[in-house]
Amino acid sequence: MLSRPRPRLLAPLLAAALVGALTGCSLLDRDAAGTPAAQPSAGTAGGGSQLEIPTTVAAGQVSLLQRLGADGPLRTLSVERNGAWQCLDCAGDGVTSRGTLAPELTERLQVLLANPALTTETDQARKYRTTCIDALTSSLLTSTGLITSQDCPGEERTAVAGEILLLLTQATPAEVNG
């Protein structure tokens, strides 16, 4: 008898697909000489001393992946339940930053992440497809699923995920620079 795939496996698969799409279908980048240079490896949010690109997050955690256009730097921000955050290439300068959200922002973030409406904003629920070229693409990885948006004309903003995105980009060192 065949068993049905479990929904909890969907988020890691979507995250892996997103990472592939955002990194040009490869976790390798090329330097000026055309030699491959390894990128951070995939893992879970908040692991180890080196920031990793997340593929799953637990309840109360969130990761933000942003890229401006197809060739822009990948900004990876991971926030733990307690408000501790790590950001790889926050300003597009290759620098890894760490910090902690203010207590009121941590509390607000937890309220937003627990909002049941977030489940209706996932890419799967909205049947989301990217539509713009060379736009800023932002993907939030939450325990409810992946939520992607682009800064392009006519794109409707998701209410809860839009607030999370705004909170994260205003509370960390910098936004992606083009």
Side-chain angles (χ1 to χ4, degrees):
M1 181 167 125
L2 295 174
S3 64
R4 292 178 55 201
R6 297 180 188 249
R8 67 178 176 208
L9 297 176
L10 186 58
L13 292 174
L14 287 173
L18 170 71
V19 169
L22 288 175
T23 58
C25 299
S26 172
L27 290 178
L28 296 177
D29 198 12
R30 299 197 179 269
D31 63 16
T35 307
Q39 294 292 315
S41 61
T44 58
S49 61
Q50 180 180 350
L51 182 63
E52 299 173 334
I53 297 173
T55 56
T56 61
V57 296
Q61 295 177 323
V62 63
S63 289
L64 169 64
L65 303 167
Q66 285 186 313
R67 175 167 275 171
L68 182 59
D71 298 327
L74 179 64
R75 175 185 192 215
T76 306
L77 172 71
S78 294
V79 184
E80 297 295 325
R81 188 169 183 67
N82 65 0
W85 57 264
Q86 296 181 41
C87 190
L88 177 64
D89 206 15
C90 274
D93 56 6
V95 174
T96 297
S97 303
R98 289 175 174 73
T100 304
L101 297 175
E104 63 275 6
L105 292 177
T106 300
E107 183 178 333
R108 177 69 182 141
L109 179 60
Q110 291 307 310
V111 167
L112 290 168
L113 289 171
N115 189 326
L118 201 56
T119 60
T120 65
E121 297 180 2
T122 65
D123 290 356
Q124 182 180 14
R126 296 181 299 144
K127 298 182 181 3
Y128 184 80
R129 303 238 186 260
T130 57
T131 56
C132 295
I133 298 172
D134 290 334
L136 176 63
T137 301
S138 301
S139 296
L140 290 169
L141 181 58
T142 69
S143 62
T144 60
L146 187 65
I147 304 165
T148 305
S149 62
Q150 287 188 298
D151 286 344
C152 46
E155 171 114 3
E156 287 189 36
R157 293 282 175 211
T158 54
V160 180
E163 284 189 55
I164 293 170
L165 181 60
L166 185 61
L167 184 153
L168 295 177
T169 56
Q170 290 180 343
T172 55
E175 294 186 44
V176 173
N177 297 320

